[in-house]
Amino acid sequence: MERRTIGATALAVGAVGLGCMPMSWAYSTSQQRGDRSVRTVHAALDAGVQLLDTADMYGPFTNELLIGRALRGRRSEAFLATKCGLLVGDQHLVANGRPGYVRRACDASLRRLQTDVIDLYQLHRADPEVPVEETWGAMADLVTAGKVRALGLSAVGARAGRGPGARMHDGTIRQLERVQQVFPVSAVQAELSVWSPQALEDLLPWCSARGVGVLAAMPLGSGYLTGTLTPGQGFEPDDARARHPRFTAEMMAANQPVVAGLRRIAERHGATPAQVALAWVLGQGPYVVPVPGAKQERWAVENAGAAGLFLTEGDLDEIAGLPRARGSWD
C-alpha cells in the first residue's frame, strides 16, 4: 500500500487506516464480536493498513483492550493512535483536560494496549474548564517521557457551539493555533467525506500550510456511502445512527442519488462505491489519511483496496456535481 507522511516529524503510515470504534462502541452492539474483530485487525494489517485508531472512551476502555489483544506479536506492524480527554457519563460525555488526569489516562491506555509507546496521542475534546495549553503541555510531557511519539487533536465534534455565520472548524483552528505554540501538532482528526466535505473549506488549507496531517473520520458517511444500507431498515437503539438526522428513512431515501453516483463511477473502475468514496478522500491531499471504521474482515480488506484506485478528472467532476446531502445538522 502507498505510504503517506503526516506531521512535521514525518510519520509514515499506510494511505488507508482502520477506525476501530465500531468493533466495541456506538454501532450495532449485537454485531460486535471480539474474536471477529481481532481477525479484522489482522486482515487489515495483512492488506497494508498500519494506522489503527481507537480511544479510551470507546466502550469505555474495551476497544483499547481489544486492540491490545489483536496486536500481540504484531505491534511493530501497526501505527497506534488513541485519544484521551473524554469521559463517558450517564447518557452524556464529559471533557477532562486536567494535566494529572491526562498523565493517568495515558498510563492506563498503555496498559490496555499492551505497548510501551503510543504513536499518536490525540486530545479527544478540549475541556472548557482548563486552558487548552495546560492540557497540551501535559501531553507534550508524555512525548518527552517517551510514552508518546506525536500529538494530535480531534475535531470530530466541531459542529457543537458554533455561533451564527461561523464556519464549522473556526473553533478548532483557534485551538490549533494556541496549542501549536506549546508543542507541534502532527495530525488533526476531522469528519471528511463526499457528503460531509466542509473540512475542505478551512481546516485542510490550515493543515496543508503547516505540514499537519489530516485523519479523515467517517469517510464512508457512517456506512451510508457504501451503498449497503437500505432506507427505512432501522437501527438498534444504541446505534448512533438511530439518532442521526441523515439516517431517518426519509433522508436515507432522499440521499440515494449520492450513492447512485458513486456506484456509477465504481462500475466503470470495477470497484465498489465505498472504494470510490475513499479514493475521493485520498485525492484531497497527500497528507490526508481516511480512517474508515470496520467490524468485519471483508470490509477492512475492501477499504484497503481503495489505495490502488485512482479517479479521473471526469470522475471527480461527476462527484462534485452530485446533490448536496440532505438531513445535515450543520
Side-chain angles (χ1 to χ4, degrees):
M1 181 186 292
E2 170 201 351
R3 288 166 67 84
R4 296 196 160 190
T5 301
I6 59 175
T9 52
L11 307 170
V13 298
V16 177
L18 174 64
C20 301
M21 181 183 74
M23 298 176 184
S24 52
W25 199 66
Y27 291 93
S28 304
T29 301
S30 68
Q31 298 178 33
Q32 294 166 355
R33 301 181 180 87
D35 290 343
R36 184 175 68 180
S37 294
V38 169
R39 292 194 298 271
T40 298
V41 172
H42 291 172
L45 294 173
D46 292 342
V49 170
Q50 293 174 296
L51 193 151
L52 306 180
D53 183 68
T54 181
D56 57 4
M57 70 164 288
Y58 298 159
F61 311 127
T62 54
N63 200 245
E64 286 187 330
L65 289 167
L66 173 65
I67 301 309
R69 178 157 63 97
L71 289 181
R72 289 175 188 165
R74 303 194 68 168
R75 173 65 181 90
S76 62
E77 301 174 51
F79 181 94
L80 192 51
T82 191
K83 310 177 194 73
C84 70
L86 268 185
L87 306 177
V88 179
D90 183 18
Q91 302 298 317
H92 67 286
L93 303 176
V94 179
N96 189 337
R98 295 179 176 84
Y101 173 76
V102 168
R103 289 189 288 270
R104 293 192 299 273
C106 179
D107 288 341
S109 288
L110 288 168
R111 289 193 298 271
R112 287 189 291 268
L113 293 166
Q114 302 181 45
T115 187
D116 296 326
V117 63
I118 294 165
D119 296 306
L120 180 67
Y121 203 40
Q122 303 162 92
L123 178 59
H124 217 151
R125 297 287 189 280
D127 186 341
E129 303 298 324
V130 179
V132 71
E133 291 87 350
E134 292 185 15
T135 305
W136 201 256
M139 295 173 69
D141 289 342
L142 298 171
V143 179
T144 303
K147 297 179 179 182
V148 170
R149 291 199 172 102
L151 302 183
L153 188 143
S154 174
V156 175
R159 290 185 175 91
R162 286 188 293 148
R167 295 181 300 181
M168 178 178 292
H169 295 288
D170 284 351
T172 296
I173 290 174
R174 287 194 294 270
Q175 288 180 352
L176 287 166
E177 290 173 342
R178 291 170 61 183
V179 301
Q180 191 83 314
Q181 303 302 312
V182 178
F183 191 87
V185 179
S186 289
V188 179
Q189 185 163 170
E191 183 175 3
L192 177 62
S193 70
V194 167
W195 78 345
S196 292
Q198 292 86 347
L200 300 179
E201 300 172 3
D202 48 8
L203 187 60
L204 263 68
W206 190 96
C207 292
S208 176
R210 293 161 179 80
V212 174
V214 174
L215 306 188
M218 293 173 275
L220 296 177
S222 299
Y224 185 80
L225 299 178
T226 66
T228 60
L229 300 180
T230 303
Q233 69 175 57
F235 297 95
E236 296 178 18
D238 59 349
D239 191 311
R241 292 170 293 188
R243 298 175 297 281
H244 194 300
R246 286 191 182 166
F247 286 93
T248 65
E250 179 186 4
M251 288 300 102
M252 288 180 71
N255 286 322
Q256 281 296 300
V258 179
V259 175
L262 296 178
R263 185 173 285 114
R264 286 194 301 271
I265 297 169
E267 289 172 353
R268 295 200 294 265
H269 289 275
T272 66
Q275 290 173 328
V276 172
L278 292 173
W280 179 88
V281 173
L282 287 165
Q284 302 311 311
Y287 54 93
V288 179
V289 177
V291 188
K295 295 189 292 290
Q296 298 184 38
E297 297 169 72
R298 59 178 293 197
W299 305 129
V301 173
E302 177 182 312
N303 293 341
L309 174 60
F310 301 96
L311 302 178
T312 67
E313 288 297 325
D315 296 331
L316 295 174
D317 289 342
E318 191 169 340
I319 291 173
L322 292 176
R324 183 179 176 87
R326 296 176 57 190
S328 173
W329 52 24
D330 296 348

